[in-house]
Amino acid sequence: QQQVKQSPQSLIVQKGGISIINCAYENTAFDYFPWYQQFPGKGPALLIAIRPDVSEKKEGRFTISFNKSAKQFSLHIMDSQPGDSATYFCAASGNFGNEKLTFGTGTRLTIIP
Amino acid sequence: GAVVSQHPSWVICKSGTSVKIECRSLDFQATTMFWYRQFPKQSLMLMATSNEGSKATYEQGVEKDKFLINHASLTLSTLTVTSAHPEDSSFYICSATTGGGALGAFFGQGTRLTVV
């Protein structure tokens, strides 16, 4: 019940295209859903996060879509750039983010020219 | 954003020796620090949660006596891998937060441990 399932495992997108990564969770107590970006040999960095009281959150080229009834959320990267090539992790936490994070399995994104 | 610094960034040690990794919050007081382990091309696995001034809470399957965690101040937590073996080779990452959980947590840059 603590799992967060993430797909796809890897993704190749052409420059300028839209990258979409999906996550699903089971624990209905989760109420904070962040996305992290990790470059090789570095720690993760918070990209964007959402709470279940909204269905969408946008920050620049990054958008989270959230479907509470389906217990799914996704990251959309618009106008994908080579600099976006990294591993992306979705995560979830409960108690308004005051609990530990449960991470998804990660998606390795490659943006090709 | 806030800065969390890990030291060292990488370390090579001989089998049987102990290695200490430091995690510092440079510009905020971290009530809680988390330690993760990440194998190549895999996700982050939480090892333990440490709160300043109290004993760390370890996740199931993590050996307390092997991975010693100390959180003696609001800006410093240390992870000591005792009697390291090659299977302990991994990427260790800490995160720090002013609260008790994920919200507002910042990650360190990670420490690559290689045991030979």
Side-chain angles (χ1 to χ4, degrees):
Chain A
Q1 198 178 17
Q2 290 296 319
Q3 277 189 321
V4 177
K5 296 180 180 179
Q6 184 172 346
S7 63
Q9 190 174 8
S10 63
L11 180 63
I12 300 174
V13 174
Q14 205 150 22
K15 179 182 175 183
I18 303 173
S19 304
I20 302 174
I21 304 171
N22 301 298
C23 283
Y25 63 99
E26 297 174 355
N27 188 348
T28 54
F30 287 151
D31 55 13
Y32 174 69
F33 304 91
W35 284 89
Y36 292 89
Q37 179 188 57
Q38 185 181 31
F39 293 104
K42 302 293 183 183
L46 178 65
L47 204 55
I48 186 172
I50 197 169
R51 287 181 169 157
D53 52 342
V54 295
S55 60
E56 186 175 284
K57 183 175 181 180
K58 183 176 181 179
E59 288 184 3
R61 297 186 294 111
F62 302 93
T63 300
I64 300 179
S65 297
F66 185 83
N67 185 329
K68 188 174 181 178
S69 61
K71 292 185 284 185
Q72 295 175 348
F73 58 109
S74 60
L75 176 70
H76 291 61
I77 305 175
M78 313 299 285
D79 187 27
S80 299
Q81 298 297 311
D84 297 330
S85 296
T87 299
Y88 292 81
F89 292 96
C90 63
S93 173
N95 192 21
F96 304 104
N98 287 307
E99 294 182 355
K100 60 187 180 184
L101 282 166
T102 298
F103 279 89
T105 48
T107 296
R108 178 168 286 194
L109 174 65
T110 304
I111 307 301
I112 56 175
Chain B
V3 178
V4 176
S5 178
Q6 274 184 249
H7 179 80
S9 296
W10 59 270
V11 58
I12 301 173
C13 71
K14 290 186 177 180
S15 187
T17 61
S18 296
V19 175
K20 181 184 285 188
I21 302 170
E22 293 185 347
C23 179
R24 293 182 184 272
S25 56
L26 298 185
D27 52 2
F28 67 100
Q29 293 186 324
T31 308
T32 305
M33 288 187 174
F34 301 91
W35 286 95
Y36 297 85
R37 184 173 181 176
Q38 186 178 33
F39 290 107
K41 298 184 181 181
Q42 292 192 23
S43 188
L44 283 76
M45 299 301 296
L46 180 65
M47 299 174 66
T49 303
S50 76
N51 293 295
E52 185 266 339
S54 60
K55 288 185 178 180
T57 302
Y58 290 80
E59 295 298 303
Q60 194 172 10
V62 177
E63 297 176 61
K64 301 178 183 181
D65 296 332
K66 180 164 189 62
F67 299 100
L68 300 179
I69 291 172
N70 183 278
H71 192 165
S73 77
L74 285 171
T75 59
L76 174 65
S77 176
T78 60
L79 166 67
T80 301
V81 183
T82 63
S83 187
H85 290 284
E87 56 265 31
D88 299 324
S89 299
S90 189
F91 194 54
Y92 292 88
I93 307 170
C94 72
S95 76
T97 179
T98 55
L103 192 63
F106 294 91
F107 286 81
Q109 74 272 30
T111 296
R112 171 75 58 196
L113 170 63
T114 302
V115 184
V116 297

